[in-house]
Each structure stands twice: as C-alpha cells, then as structure tokens.
mmCIF file of all heavy atoms in Angstrom:
data_model
loop_
_atom_site.group_PDB
_atom_site.id
_atom_site.type_symbol
_atom_site.label_atom_id
_atom_site.label_comp_id
_atom_site.label_asym_id
_atom_site.label_seq_id
_atom_site.Cartn_x
_atom_site.Cartn_y
_atom_site.Cartn_z
ATOM 1 N N TYR A 1 -100.995 -53.101 -47.006
ATOM 2 C CA TYR A 1 -100.162 -54.367 -47.137
ATOM 3 C C TYR A 1 -100.765 -55.226 -48.198
ATOM 4 O O TYR A 1 -99.990 -55.904 -48.978
ATOM 5 C CB TYR A 1 -100.150 -55.165 -45.809
ATOM 6 C CG TYR A 1 -99.187 -54.566 -44.852
ATOM 7 C CD1 TYR A 1 -99.584 -54.398 -43.527
ATOM 8 C CD2 TYR A 1 -97.900 -54.306 -45.198
ATOM 9 C CE1 TYR A 1 -98.662 -53.869 -42.582
ATOM 10 C CE2 TYR A 1 -96.951 -53.810 -44.264
ATOM 11 C CZ TYR A 1 -97.302 -53.638 -42.985
ATOM 12 O OH TYR A 1 -96.441 -53.212 -42.042
ATOM 13 N N GLU A 2 -102.028 -55.309 -48.352
ATOM 14 C CA GLU A 2 -102.609 -56.192 -49.346
ATOM 15 C C GLU A 2 -102.261 -55.657 -50.795
ATOM 16 O O GLU A 2 -101.894 -56.493 -51.654
ATOM 17 C CB GLU A 2 -104.155 -56.260 -49.177
ATOM 18 C CG GLU A 2 -104.545 -56.920 -47.898
ATOM 19 C CD GLU A 2 -106.107 -56.963 -47.814
ATOM 20 O OE1 GLU A 2 -106.783 -56.607 -48.785
ATOM 21 O OE2 GLU A 2 -106.568 -57.253 -46.716
ATOM 22 N N ARG A 3 -102.401 -54.410 -50.947
ATOM 23 C CA ARG A 3 -102.125 -53.848 -52.238
ATOM 24 C C ARG A 3 -100.646 -54.001 -52.580
ATOM 25 O O ARG A 3 -100.279 -54.294 -53.755
ATOM 26 C CB ARG A 3 -102.465 -52.300 -52.273
ATOM 27 C CG ARG A 3 -104.013 -52.083 -52.362
ATOM 28 C CD ARG A 3 -104.247 -50.628 -52.693
ATOM 29 N NE ARG A 3 -103.820 -49.727 -51.666
ATOM 30 C CZ ARG A 3 -104.531 -49.346 -50.586
ATOM 31 N NH1 ARG A 3 -105.699 -49.867 -50.429
ATOM 32 N NH2 ARG A 3 -104.048 -48.452 -49.768
ATOM 33 N N MET A 4 -99.772 -53.874 -51.567
ATOM 34 C CA MET A 4 -98.323 -53.992 -51.723
ATOM 35 C C MET A 4 -97.946 -55.459 -52.158
ATOM 36 O O MET A 4 -97.158 -55.726 -53.024
ATOM 37 C CB MET A 4 -97.541 -53.627 -50.488
ATOM 38 C CG MET A 4 -97.495 -52.121 -50.216
ATOM 39 S SD MET A 4 -96.765 -51.731 -48.629
ATOM 40 C CE MET A 4 -95.128 -52.447 -48.845
ATOM 41 N N ALA A 5 -98.631 -56.403 -51.522
ATOM 42 C CA ALA A 5 -98.379 -57.838 -51.787
ATOM 43 C C ALA A 5 -98.795 -58.163 -53.236
ATOM 44 O O ALA A 5 -98.060 -58.865 -53.985
ATOM 45 C CB ALA A 5 -99.203 -58.675 -50.833
ATOM 46 N N GLU A 6 -99.961 -57.667 -53.672
ATOM 47 C CA GLU A 6 -100.404 -57.908 -55.041
ATOM 48 C C GLU A 6 -99.416 -57.294 -56.042
ATOM 49 O O GLU A 6 -99.084 -57.930 -57.035
ATOM 50 C CB GLU A 6 -101.784 -57.344 -55.248
ATOM 51 C CG GLU A 6 -102.846 -58.060 -54.415
ATOM 52 C CD GLU A 6 -104.207 -57.371 -54.635
ATOM 53 O OE1 GLU A 6 -104.270 -56.306 -55.313
ATOM 54 O OE2 GLU A 6 -105.174 -57.945 -54.090
ATOM 55 N N GLN A 7 -98.991 -56.103 -55.730
ATOM 56 C CA GLN A 7 -98.060 -55.401 -56.688
ATOM 57 C C GLN A 7 -96.679 -56.170 -56.742
ATOM 58 O O GLN A 7 -96.164 -56.354 -57.807
ATOM 59 C CB GLN A 7 -97.879 -53.969 -56.218
ATOM 60 C CG GLN A 7 -96.866 -53.183 -57.121
ATOM 61 C CD GLN A 7 -96.720 -51.720 -56.589
ATOM 62 O OE1 GLN A 7 -97.302 -51.371 -55.612
ATOM 63 N NE2 GLN A 7 -95.913 -50.969 -57.278
ATOM 64 N N GLN A 8 -96.217 -56.599 -55.567
ATOM 65 C CA GLN A 8 -94.930 -57.328 -55.558
ATOM 66 C C GLN A 8 -95.006 -58.623 -56.282
ATOM 67 O O GLN A 8 -94.076 -59.109 -56.975
ATOM 68 C CB GLN A 8 -94.503 -57.582 -54.113
ATOM 69 C CG GLN A 8 -94.025 -56.281 -53.452
ATOM 70 C CD GLN A 8 -93.627 -56.540 -51.947
ATOM 71 O OE1 GLN A 8 -93.938 -57.634 -51.444
ATOM 72 N NE2 GLN A 8 -93.015 -55.603 -51.382
ATOM 73 N N TYR A 9 -96.144 -59.300 -56.149
ATOM 74 C CA TYR A 9 -96.329 -60.607 -56.886
ATOM 75 C C TYR A 9 -96.329 -60.394 -58.359
ATOM 76 O O TYR A 9 -95.725 -61.204 -59.083
ATOM 77 C CB TYR A 9 -97.679 -61.257 -56.459
ATOM 78 C CG TYR A 9 -97.826 -62.613 -57.052
ATOM 79 C CD1 TYR A 9 -97.186 -63.761 -56.606
ATOM 80 C CD2 TYR A 9 -98.689 -62.813 -58.177
ATOM 81 C CE1 TYR A 9 -97.316 -65.045 -57.215
ATOM 82 C CE2 TYR A 9 -98.903 -64.007 -58.808
ATOM 83 C CZ TYR A 9 -98.162 -65.132 -58.304
ATOM 84 O OH TYR A 9 -98.340 -66.296 -58.873
ATOM 85 N N GLN A 10 -96.955 -59.303 -58.867
ATOM 86 C CA GLN A 10 -96.954 -59.044 -60.280
ATOM 87 C C GLN A 10 -95.543 -58.698 -60.752
ATOM 88 O O GLN A 10 -95.187 -59.139 -61.818
ATOM 89 C CB GLN A 10 -97.946 -57.914 -60.559
ATOM 90 C CG GLN A 10 -98.118 -57.578 -62.065
ATOM 91 C CD GLN A 10 -98.713 -58.834 -62.769
ATOM 92 O OE1 GLN A 10 -99.631 -59.395 -62.393
ATOM 93 N NE2 GLN A 10 -98.118 -59.119 -63.920
ATOM 94 N N GLU A 11 -94.832 -57.963 -59.905
ATOM 95 C CA GLU A 11 -93.442 -57.656 -60.360
ATOM 96 C C GLU A 11 -92.614 -58.886 -60.364
ATOM 97 O O GLU A 11 -91.759 -58.992 -61.179
ATOM 98 C CB GLU A 11 -92.943 -56.608 -59.302
ATOM 99 C CG GLU A 11 -93.522 -55.267 -59.436
ATOM 100 C CD GLU A 11 -92.988 -54.317 -58.403
ATOM 101 O OE1 GLU A 11 -92.255 -54.772 -57.468
ATOM 102 O OE2 GLU A 11 -93.312 -53.043 -58.477
ATOM 103 N N TYR A 12 -92.858 -59.827 -59.456
ATOM 104 C CA TYR A 12 -92.098 -60.966 -59.416
ATOM 105 C C TYR A 12 -92.301 -61.859 -60.641
ATOM 106 O O TYR A 12 -91.383 -62.390 -61.299
ATOM 107 C CB TYR A 12 -92.485 -61.840 -58.145
ATOM 108 C CG TYR A 12 -91.899 -63.231 -58.064
ATOM 109 C CD1 TYR A 12 -90.556 -63.417 -57.768
ATOM 110 C CD2 TYR A 12 -92.676 -64.351 -58.388
ATOM 111 C CE1 TYR A 12 -90.050 -64.711 -57.718
ATOM 112 C CE2 TYR A 12 -92.199 -65.602 -58.350
ATOM 113 C CZ TYR A 12 -90.823 -65.809 -58.062
ATOM 114 O OH TYR A 12 -90.244 -67.000 -58.013
ATOM 115 N N GLU A 13 -93.635 -61.924 -61.067
ATOM 116 C CA GLU A 13 -93.943 -62.728 -62.281
ATOM 117 C C GLU A 13 -93.200 -62.104 -63.499
ATOM 118 O O GLU A 13 -92.701 -62.785 -64.306
ATOM 119 C CB GLU A 13 -95.466 -62.715 -62.504
ATOM 120 C CG GLU A 13 -96.195 -63.709 -61.597
ATOM 121 C CD GLU A 13 -97.614 -63.979 -62.070
ATOM 122 O OE1 GLU A 13 -98.241 -62.982 -62.583
ATOM 123 O OE2 GLU A 13 -98.086 -65.054 -61.907
ATOM 124 N N ASN A 14 -93.338 -60.714 -63.534
ATOM 125 C CA ASN A 14 -92.623 -60.112 -64.658
ATOM 126 C C ASN A 14 -91.162 -60.359 -64.699
ATOM 127 O O ASN A 14 -90.544 -60.584 -65.748
ATOM 128 C CB ASN A 14 -92.878 -58.618 -64.631
ATOM 129 C CG ASN A 14 -94.320 -58.249 -64.896
ATOM 130 O OD1 ASN A 14 -95.096 -59.036 -65.511
ATOM 131 N ND2 ASN A 14 -94.769 -57.066 -64.413
ATOM 132 N N HIS A 15 -90.616 -60.268 -63.523
ATOM 133 C CA HIS A 15 -89.111 -60.549 -63.377
ATOM 134 C C HIS A 15 -88.809 -61.974 -63.832
ATOM 135 O O HIS A 15 -87.761 -62.178 -64.540
ATOM 136 C CB HIS A 15 -88.732 -60.389 -61.908
ATOM 137 C CG HIS A 15 -87.285 -60.726 -61.604
ATOM 138 N ND1 HIS A 15 -86.212 -60.004 -62.138
ATOM 139 C CD2 HIS A 15 -86.731 -61.829 -60.935
ATOM 140 C CE1 HIS A 15 -85.091 -60.596 -61.756
ATOM 141 N NE2 HIS A 15 -85.387 -61.690 -60.983
ATOM 142 N N MET A 16 -89.543 -62.964 -63.418
ATOM 143 C CA MET A 16 -89.234 -64.382 -63.748
ATOM 144 C C MET A 16 -89.363 -64.595 -65.301
ATOM 145 O O MET A 16 -88.619 -65.308 -65.889
ATOM 146 C CB MET A 16 -90.242 -65.340 -62.994
ATOM 147 C CG MET A 16 -89.895 -65.391 -61.519
ATOM 148 S SD MET A 16 -88.200 -65.842 -61.117
ATOM 149 C CE MET A 16 -88.163 -67.500 -61.850
ATOM 150 N N PHE A 17 -90.389 -63.845 -65.896
ATOM 151 C CA PHE A 17 -90.526 -64.030 -67.369
ATOM 152 C C PHE A 17 -89.340 -63.438 -67.990
ATOM 153 O O PHE A 17 -88.728 -64.011 -69.008
ATOM 154 C CB PHE A 17 -91.799 -63.212 -67.778
ATOM 155 C CG PHE A 17 -91.998 -63.231 -69.280
ATOM 156 C CD1 PHE A 17 -92.481 -64.375 -69.918
ATOM 157 C CD2 PHE A 17 -91.655 -62.060 -70.038
ATOM 158 C CE1 PHE A 17 -92.674 -64.318 -71.242
ATOM 159 C CE2 PHE A 17 -91.914 -62.058 -71.342
ATOM 160 C CZ PHE A 17 -92.385 -63.106 -72.014
ATOM 161 N N GLU A 18 -88.799 -62.272 -67.551
ATOM 162 C CA GLU A 18 -87.568 -61.703 -68.151
ATOM 163 C C GLU A 18 -86.357 -62.593 -67.999
ATOM 164 O O GLU A 18 -85.543 -62.748 -68.854
ATOM 165 C CB GLU A 18 -87.365 -60.318 -67.521
ATOM 166 C CG GLU A 18 -88.357 -59.241 -67.908
ATOM 167 C CD GLU A 18 -88.149 -57.951 -67.131
ATOM 168 O OE1 GLU A 18 -87.238 -57.923 -66.341
ATOM 169 O OE2 GLU A 18 -88.880 -57.030 -67.421
ATOM 170 N N CYS A 19 -86.272 -63.200 -66.822
ATOM 171 C CA CYS A 19 -85.139 -64.093 -66.494
ATOM 172 C C CYS A 19 -85.146 -65.317 -67.497
ATOM 173 O O CYS A 19 -84.122 -65.756 -67.953
ATOM 174 C CB CYS A 19 -85.184 -64.632 -65.093
ATOM 175 S SG CYS A 19 -84.701 -63.337 -63.888
ATOM 176 N N GLU A 20 -86.354 -65.850 -67.721
ATOM 177 C CA GLU A 20 -86.489 -67.034 -68.594
ATOM 178 C C GLU A 20 -86.009 -66.580 -70.002
ATOM 179 O O GLU A 20 -85.350 -67.384 -70.762
ATOM 180 C CB GLU A 20 -87.894 -67.586 -68.612
ATOM 181 C CG GLU A 20 -88.262 -68.235 -67.331
ATOM 182 C CD GLU A 20 -89.737 -68.645 -67.274
ATOM 183 O OE1 GLU A 20 -90.455 -68.312 -68.249
ATOM 184 O OE2 GLU A 20 -90.093 -69.228 -66.291
ATOM 185 N N GLU A 21 -86.444 -65.432 -70.446
ATOM 186 C CA GLU A 21 -86.059 -64.971 -71.789
ATOM 187 C C GLU A 21 -84.535 -64.767 -71.895
ATOM 188 O O GLU A 21 -83.889 -65.100 -72.875
ATOM 189 C CB GLU A 21 -86.801 -63.671 -72.163
ATOM 190 C CG GLU A 21 -88.248 -63.860 -72.501
ATOM 191 C CD GLU A 21 -88.774 -62.647 -73.291
ATOM 192 O OE1 GLU A 21 -88.261 -61.549 -73.054
ATOM 193 O OE2 GLU A 21 -89.695 -62.826 -74.089
ATOM 194 N N MET A 22 -83.966 -64.223 -70.835
ATOM 195 C CA MET A 22 -82.489 -63.968 -70.762
ATOM 196 C C MET A 22 -81.782 -65.301 -70.857
ATOM 197 O O MET A 22 -80.766 -65.442 -71.503
ATOM 198 C CB MET A 22 -82.135 -63.178 -69.507
ATOM 199 C CG MET A 22 -80.671 -62.760 -69.480
ATOM 200 S SD MET A 22 -80.040 -61.761 -70.861
ATOM 201 C CE MET A 22 -81.038 -60.277 -70.473
ATOM 202 N N GLN A 23 -82.262 -66.296 -70.096
ATOM 203 C CA GLN A 23 -81.603 -67.590 -70.114
ATOM 204 C C GLN A 23 -81.673 -68.223 -71.499
ATOM 205 O O GLN A 23 -80.729 -68.885 -71.937
ATOM 206 C CB GLN A 23 -82.263 -68.543 -69.058
ATOM 207 C CG GLN A 23 -81.890 -68.137 -67.682
ATOM 208 C CD GLN A 23 -82.542 -69.181 -66.666
ATOM 209 O OE1 GLN A 23 -83.395 -69.877 -67.029
ATOM 210 N NE2 GLN A 23 -82.127 -69.069 -65.404
ATOM 211 N N ALA A 24 -82.716 -67.966 -72.138
ATOM 212 C CA ALA A 24 -82.867 -68.547 -73.519
ATOM 213 C C ALA A 24 -81.797 -67.929 -74.390
ATOM 214 O O ALA A 24 -81.190 -68.555 -75.231
ATOM 215 C CB ALA A 24 -84.216 -68.315 -74.039
ATOM 216 N N LEU A 25 -81.655 -66.572 -74.276
ATOM 217 C CA LEU A 25 -80.608 -65.857 -75.110
ATOM 218 C C LEU A 25 -79.241 -66.338 -74.690
ATOM 219 O O LEU A 25 -78.348 -66.495 -75.594
ATOM 220 C CB LEU A 25 -80.721 -64.390 -74.785
ATOM 221 C CG LEU A 25 -82.013 -63.738 -75.456
ATOM 222 C CD1 LEU A 25 -82.048 -62.234 -74.971
ATOM 223 C CD2 LEU A 25 -81.997 -63.788 -76.950
ATOM 224 N N LEU A 26 -79.023 -66.604 -73.383
ATOM 225 C CA LEU A 26 -77.616 -66.913 -73.020
ATOM 226 C C LEU A 26 -77.199 -68.325 -73.285
ATOM 227 O O LEU A 26 -76.037 -68.543 -73.714
ATOM 228 C CB LEU A 26 -77.543 -66.627 -71.462
ATOM 229 C CG LEU A 26 -77.530 -65.147 -71.101
ATOM 230 C CD1 LEU A 26 -77.601 -65.073 -69.524
ATOM 231 C CD2 LEU A 26 -76.314 -64.435 -71.643
ATOM 232 N N PHE A 27 -78.099 -69.276 -73.053
ATOM 233 C CA PHE A 27 -77.683 -70.640 -73.071
ATOM 234 C C PHE A 27 -78.144 -71.550 -74.282
ATOM 235 O O PHE A 27 -77.711 -72.612 -74.428
ATOM 236 C CB PHE A 27 -78.097 -71.338 -71.768
ATOM 237 C CG PHE A 27 -77.520 -70.734 -70.569
ATOM 238 C CD1 PHE A 27 -78.309 -69.999 -69.679
ATOM 239 C CD2 PHE A 27 -76.167 -70.745 -70.344
ATOM 240 C CE1 PHE A 27 -77.709 -69.390 -68.590
ATOM 241 C CE2 PHE A 27 -75.579 -70.137 -69.243
ATOM 242 C CZ PHE A 27 -76.382 -69.471 -68.383
ATOM 243 N N GLU A 28 -79.010 -71.038 -75.050
ATOM 244 C CA GLU A 28 -79.371 -71.716 -76.324
ATOM 245 C C GLU A 28 -78.473 -71.289 -77.356
ATOM 246 O O GLU A 28 -78.844 -70.447 -78.319
ATOM 247 C CB GLU A 28 -80.850 -71.511 -76.632
ATOM 248 C CG GLU A 28 -81.766 -72.116 -75.577
ATOM 249 C CD GLU A 28 -83.203 -71.955 -76.019
ATOM 250 O OE1 GLU A 28 -83.460 -71.423 -77.077
ATOM 251 O OE2 GLU A 28 -84.067 -72.283 -75.201
ATOM 252 N N ALA A 29 -77.224 -71.641 -77.333
ATOM 253 C CA ALA A 29 -76.213 -71.119 -78.189
ATOM 254 C C ALA A 29 -76.451 -71.524 -79.712
ATOM 255 O O ALA A 29 -75.998 -70.868 -80.650
ATOM 256 C CB ALA A 29 -74.763 -71.616 -77.746
ATOM 257 N N SER A 30 -77.237 -72.570 -79.888
ATOM 258 C CA SER A 30 -77.455 -73.017 -81.194
ATOM 259 C C SER A 30 -78.325 -72.104 -82.021
ATOM 260 O O SER A 30 -78.311 -72.128 -83.214
ATOM 261 C CB SER A 30 -78.109 -74.365 -81.184
ATOM 262 O OG SER A 30 -79.372 -74.304 -80.436
ATOM 263 N N ALA A 31 -78.986 -71.206 -81.300
ATOM 264 C CA ALA A 31 -79.813 -70.191 -81.970
ATOM 265 C C ALA A 31 -79.063 -69.056 -82.516
ATOM 266 O O ALA A 31 -79.604 -68.187 -83.156
ATOM 267 C CB ALA A 31 -80.903 -69.701 -81.030
ATOM 268 N N TRP A 32 -77.721 -69.022 -82.198
ATOM 269 C CA TRP A 32 -76.925 -67.875 -82.647
ATOM 270 C C TRP A 32 -75.750 -68.405 -83.494
ATOM 271 O O TRP A 32 -75.423 -69.591 -83.501
ATOM 272 C CB TRP A 32 -76.262 -67.202 -81.429
ATOM 273 C CG TRP A 32 -77.373 -66.668 -80.604
ATOM 274 C CD1 TRP A 32 -78.076 -67.229 -79.594
ATOM 275 C CD2 TRP A 32 -77.907 -65.270 -80.583
ATOM 276 N NE1 TRP A 32 -79.010 -66.363 -79.040
ATOM 277 C CE2 TRP A 32 -78.907 -65.132 -79.652
ATOM 278 C CE3 TRP A 32 -77.608 -64.161 -81.396
ATOM 279 C CZ2 TRP A 32 -79.608 -63.983 -79.430
ATOM 280 C CZ3 TRP A 32 -78.274 -62.906 -81.165
ATOM 281 C CH2 TRP A 32 -79.292 -62.875 -80.208
ATOM 282 N N ARG A 33 -75.162 -67.568 -84.220
ATOM 283 C CA ARG A 33 -74.110 -67.930 -85.140
ATOM 284 C C ARG A 33 -72.785 -67.320 -84.682
ATOM 285 O O ARG A 33 -72.703 -66.186 -84.275
ATOM 286 C CB ARG A 33 -74.362 -67.451 -86.541
ATOM 287 C CG ARG A 33 -75.618 -67.996 -87.144
ATOM 288 C CD ARG A 33 -75.609 -67.703 -88.684
ATOM 289 N NE ARG A 33 -75.456 -66.313 -88.947
ATOM 290 C CZ ARG A 33 -76.433 -65.460 -89.000
ATOM 291 N NH1 ARG A 33 -77.658 -65.781 -88.819
ATOM 292 N NH2 ARG A 33 -76.221 -64.148 -89.232
ATOM 293 N N GLY A 34 -71.665 -68.120 -84.765
ATOM 294 C CA GLY A 34 -70.327 -67.715 -84.560
ATOM 295 C C GLY A 34 -70.121 -66.800 -83.351
ATOM 296 O O GLY A 34 -70.469 -67.149 -82.223
#
C-alpha cells in the first residue's frame, strides 16, 4: 500500500502538470495566430 500510494501521488503530480500545460495551450489564445 505504501509503495502504491507513493506511485499514485507521483502520477497525480505528472497529470496536474500536463493539465496546466494543456490549459495554457487552450485558453491563452493570444499566444496563437488566426
């Protein structure tokens, strides 16, 4: 259980980092053209 918890927490951090990058791509429209 301990190893699983550590692994899941790391996966969660990676997932949140990817989500933040995706939001930047999606909603910062000024960074894109036309």
Side-chain angles (χ1 to χ4, degrees):
Y1 280 133
E2 294 180 9
R3 289 193 295 271
M4 287 173 60
E6 293 175 356
Q7 181 181 358
Q8 288 178 348
Y9 182 78
Q10 185 60 46
E11 290 176 353
Y12 172 77
E13 282 194 326
N14 295 337
H15 173 71
M16 292 303 298
F17 177 77
E18 291 174 357
C19 288
E20 290 174 357
E21 285 199 333
M22 183 61 66
Q23 286 181 349
L25 290 173
L26 289 174
F27 299 112
E28 292 182 8
S30 60
W32 297 84
R33 298 192 307 272

